[in-house]
Amino acid sequence: MPHDRISRTTLRRSGIAVGAMGSLGAAALLYAIFIEPRRLRVRHVAVTVPDLPEELEGIRAAFLSDFHLAGPRGNYRIACAARAAIDRERPDLILLGGDYFDHARWQSDGDSAAPLADWPAPTFAVLGNHDFKGGSANSEAIAALLERQGVCVLRNTSTTVRLRGHDVVIAGVDDPYLELADLDTALGGVTGSRPLVLLAHAPSIAPLLPAGAAGVVLTGHTHGGQVRLSPVTTLTPLDISFYLDRLYRRPHSPLQRGFHWVRGSLLYVTNGLGVTRWRMRFLAPPEVVILHFTATPADPDAPCDDVRRYVRWL
């Protein structure tokens, strides 16, 4: 019965293929839950700011976001690893992008808050949407905790820091995802030079940016998509956040990860450090980003509105 033999062979091969696919899927799931969330990347990137003063050539800023402490247990371990990386790198400036405590379950004891203490360089921060959960009392307590650790928390304001004998402007806004950002107030006090950095928790700030708002705008919130199959830096149906945004009925920025050129400013979306409801990462590992500022174009032949002109991964 040739037909029966062919059918049995086909079924056997199909079963093998299905089994292989199932094994591959199981392996990917195990990797996403147990391996990638623990694999911290320390990434170095040269960022071009054309009007950068000569004295500031080569200064380095570390950017960290989305700690989610008091959430899934692995978050504390990855935050401690990130702090150890900062201590090794010794940057000139440290910038924090919000979501310090998962669902605003803030704790002031030394163990839980240890990754947020004793920063080795001038440190500036904004609050994220998780820091505002539970009302203003929680957000103010988290801001006060950071301030006690020597962190300058920027809440719709700007300030200056002296680096290499030069005043550097840093601006920060409350979370744009929750529609709390006030750019007019944050940038209103800036005179003489634009901010080198504008901190905003979420890339939802992008459509609100005035032309040439800052040398670089640093954001987090998306966790880089956290679970993604997409090769591009914008939101697609291959990102789990594409569906979560609809589930929670919250508008989300199409900018998911990496660098973007927005109205005369570079905007970066970091993968962040921790996780929250979905306790896994896939193709979006936790990261600390070290930005090396320079006035020299990364690619002088690229157009002025092309990210490649301003960004070179080291």
Side-chain angles (χ1 to χ4, degrees), residues 17 19 32 64 84 90 107 119 121 146 264 277 284 287 303:
L64 308 85
R90 307 299 293 185
Q107 300 177 35
W119 296 97
L146 291 169
R277 291 184 180 92
E287 66 178 20

PDB file of all heavy atoms in Angstrom, residues 17 19 32 64 84 90 107 119 121 146 264 277 284 287 303:
ATOM      1  N   ALA A  17       9.134  17.342  12.953  1.00  0.00           N
ATOM      2  CA  ALA A  17       9.226  18.795  12.772  1.00  0.00           C
ATOM      3  C   ALA A  17       8.499  19.534  13.896  1.00  0.00           C
ATOM      4  O   ALA A  17       9.013  20.508  14.455  1.00  0.00           O
ATOM      5  CB  ALA A  17       8.646  19.187  11.420  1.00  0.00           C
ATOM      6  N   GLY A  19       7.875  18.361  16.888  1.00  0.00           N
ATOM      7  CA  GLY A  19       8.644  18.170  18.116  1.00  0.00           C
ATOM      8  C   GLY A  19       9.852  19.081  18.187  1.00  0.00           C
ATOM      9  O   GLY A  19      10.155  19.643  19.242  1.00  0.00           O
ATOM     10  N   ALA A  32      14.498  33.098  27.777  1.00  0.00           N
ATOM     11  CA  ALA A  32      13.877  34.399  28.046  1.00  0.00           C
ATOM     12  C   ALA A  32      13.591  34.603  29.527  1.00  0.00           C
ATOM     13  O   ALA A  32      13.638  35.728  30.033  1.00  0.00           O
ATOM     14  CB  ALA A  32      12.588  34.543  27.236  1.00  0.00           C
ATOM     15  N   LEU A  64      21.135  54.804  33.138  1.00  0.00           N
ATOM     16  CA  LEU A  64      20.472  53.611  33.662  1.00  0.00           C
ATOM     17  C   LEU A  64      19.003  53.943  33.878  1.00  0.00           C
ATOM     18  O   LEU A  64      18.664  55.070  34.264  1.00  0.00           O
ATOM     19  CB  LEU A  64      21.069  53.172  34.996  1.00  0.00           C
ATOM     20  CG  LEU A  64      22.576  52.964  35.124  1.00  0.00           C
ATOM     21  CD1 LEU A  64      23.279  54.278  35.438  1.00  0.00           C
ATOM     22  CD2 LEU A  64      22.876  51.958  36.224  1.00  0.00           C
ATOM     23  N   ALA A  84      27.887  47.936  40.071  1.00  0.00           N
ATOM     24  CA  ALA A  84      29.286  47.505  40.017  1.00  0.00           C
ATOM     25  C   ALA A  84      29.933  47.973  38.716  1.00  0.00           C
ATOM     26  O   ALA A  84      31.098  48.383  38.699  1.00  0.00           O
ATOM     27  CB  ALA A  84      29.379  45.987  40.153  1.00  0.00           C
ATOM     28  N   ARG A  90      33.535  54.542  36.171  1.00  0.00           N
ATOM     29  CA  ARG A  90      33.812  55.881  36.716  1.00  0.00           C
ATOM     30  C   ARG A  90      33.482  56.986  35.711  1.00  0.00           C
ATOM     31  O   ARG A  90      34.338  57.767  35.285  1.00  0.00           O
ATOM     32  CB  ARG A  90      35.277  55.988  37.146  1.00  0.00           C
ATOM     33  CG  ARG A  90      35.757  54.913  38.084  1.00  0.00           C
ATOM     34  CD  ARG A  90      35.031  54.864  39.382  1.00  0.00           C
ATOM     35  NE  ARG A  90      35.267  56.045  40.210  1.00  0.00           N
ATOM     36  CZ  ARG A  90      34.811  56.185  41.460  1.00  0.00           C
ATOM     37  NH1 ARG A  90      34.062  55.226  41.999  1.00  0.00           N
ATOM     38  NH2 ARG A  90      35.078  57.263  42.142  1.00  0.00           N
ATOM     39  N   GLN A 107      11.140  51.239  49.345  1.00  0.00           N
ATOM     40  CA  GLN A 107      11.643  50.833  50.653  1.00  0.00           C
ATOM     41  C   GLN A 107      12.888  51.655  50.948  1.00  0.00           C
ATOM     42  O   GLN A 107      13.737  51.843  50.081  1.00  0.00           O
ATOM     43  CB  GLN A 107      11.976  49.339  50.663  1.00  0.00           C
ATOM     44  CG  GLN A 107      10.770  48.460  50.353  1.00  0.00           C
ATOM     45  CD  GLN A 107      11.146  46.994  50.311  1.00  0.00           C
ATOM     46  OE1 GLN A 107      11.995  46.552  51.058  1.00  0.00           O
ATOM     47  NE2 GLN A 107      10.507  46.240  49.423  1.00  0.00           N
ATOM     48  N   TRP A 119      26.433  57.072  44.650  1.00  0.00           N
ATOM     49  CA  TRP A 119      26.880  57.161  43.266  1.00  0.00           C
ATOM     50  C   TRP A 119      28.237  57.863  43.191  1.00  0.00           C
ATOM     51  O   TRP A 119      28.474  58.824  43.910  1.00  0.00           O
ATOM     52  CB  TRP A 119      25.856  57.908  42.425  1.00  0.00           C
ATOM     53  CG  TRP A 119      24.537  57.202  42.341  1.00  0.00           C
ATOM     54  CD1 TRP A 119      23.432  57.448  43.101  1.00  0.00           C
ATOM     55  CD2 TRP A 119      24.192  56.116  41.474  1.00  0.00           C
ATOM     56  NE1 TRP A 119      22.416  56.587  42.757  1.00  0.00           N
ATOM     57  CE2 TRP A 119      22.855  55.763  41.770  1.00  0.00           C
ATOM     58  CE3 TRP A 119      24.879  55.414  40.487  1.00  0.00           C
ATOM     59  CZ2 TRP A 119      22.190  54.740  41.094  1.00  0.00           C
ATOM     60  CZ3 TRP A 119      24.219  54.392  39.812  1.00  0.00           C
ATOM     61  CH2 TRP A 119      22.888  54.070  40.118  1.00  0.00           C
ATOM     62  N   ALA A 121      29.659  59.804  40.967  1.00  0.00           N
ATOM     63  CA  ALA A 121      29.787  61.003  40.139  1.00  0.00           C
ATOM     64  C   ALA A 121      28.500  61.804  40.288  1.00  0.00           C
ATOM     65  O   ALA A 121      27.493  61.282  40.800  1.00  0.00           O
ATOM     66  CB  ALA A 121      30.035  60.623  38.678  1.00  0.00           C
ATOM     67  N   LEU A 146      15.899  59.426  46.909  1.00  0.00           N
ATOM     68  CA  LEU A 146      16.991  59.665  45.964  1.00  0.00           C
ATOM     69  C   LEU A 146      17.809  60.884  46.372  1.00  0.00           C
ATOM     70  O   LEU A 146      19.045  60.877  46.310  1.00  0.00           O
ATOM     71  CB  LEU A 146      16.431  59.837  44.553  1.00  0.00           C
ATOM     72  CG  LEU A 146      15.833  58.581  43.910  1.00  0.00           C
ATOM     73  CD1 LEU A 146      15.070  58.954  42.647  1.00  0.00           C
ATOM     74  CD2 LEU A 146      16.916  57.562  43.598  1.00  0.00           C
ATOM     75  N   GLY A 264      15.621  67.680  15.492  1.00  0.00           N
ATOM     76  CA  GLY A 264      16.907  68.291  15.783  1.00  0.00           C
ATOM     77  C   GLY A 264      17.589  67.799  17.042  1.00  0.00           C
ATOM     78  O   GLY A 264      18.594  68.379  17.467  1.00  0.00           O
ATOM     79  N   ARG A 277       5.633  43.036  35.132  1.00  0.00           N
ATOM     80  CA  ARG A 277       4.646  41.951  35.042  1.00  0.00           C
ATOM     81  C   ARG A 277       5.162  40.741  34.263  1.00  0.00           C
ATOM     82  O   ARG A 277       4.999  39.608  34.686  1.00  0.00           O
ATOM     83  CB  ARG A 277       3.371  42.479  34.383  1.00  0.00           C
ATOM     84  CG  ARG A 277       2.588  43.474  35.219  1.00  0.00           C
ATOM     85  CD  ARG A 277       1.310  43.842  34.503  1.00  0.00           C
ATOM     86  NE  ARG A 277       0.511  44.804  35.250  1.00  0.00           N
ATOM     87  CZ  ARG A 277       0.603  46.105  35.085  1.00  0.00           C
ATOM     88  NH1 ARG A 277       1.467  46.604  34.208  1.00  0.00           N
ATOM     89  NH2 ARG A 277      -0.149  46.932  35.791  1.00  0.00           N
ATOM     90  N   ALA A 284      16.211  41.661  24.091  1.00  0.00           N
ATOM     91  CA  ALA A 284      16.217  42.997  24.689  1.00  0.00           C
ATOM     92  C   ALA A 284      16.906  42.905  26.056  1.00  0.00           C
ATOM     93  O   ALA A 284      16.291  43.166  27.092  1.00  0.00           O
ATOM     94  CB  ALA A 284      14.793  43.532  24.839  1.00  0.00           C
ATOM     95  N   GLU A 287      20.660  46.650  30.163  1.00  0.00           N
ATOM     96  CA  GLU A 287      21.850  47.368  29.731  1.00  0.00           C
ATOM     97  C   GLU A 287      22.130  48.601  30.568  1.00  0.00           C
ATOM     98  O   GLU A 287      21.231  49.240  31.110  1.00  0.00           O
ATOM     99  CB  GLU A 287      21.733  47.777  28.265  1.00  0.00           C
ATOM    100  CG  GLU A 287      20.636  48.788  27.989  1.00  0.00           C
ATOM    101  CD  GLU A 287      20.573  49.225  26.524  1.00  0.00           C
ATOM    102  OE1 GLU A 287      21.103  48.515  25.630  1.00  0.00           O
ATOM    103  OE2 GLU A 287      19.977  50.286  26.250  1.00  0.00           O
ATOM    104  N   PRO A 303      23.439  62.423   6.031  1.00  0.00           N
ATOM    105  CA  PRO A 303      22.623  63.644   6.099  1.00  0.00           C
ATOM    106  C   PRO A 303      22.493  64.158   7.527  1.00  0.00           C
ATOM    107  O   PRO A 303      22.641  63.408   8.496  1.00  0.00           O
ATOM    108  CB  PRO A 303      21.263  63.187   5.552  1.00  0.00           C
ATOM    109  CG  PRO A 303      21.551  61.957   4.754  1.00  0.00           C
ATOM    110  CD  PRO A 303      22.715  61.295   5.426  1.00  0.00           C
TER     111      PRO A 303
END
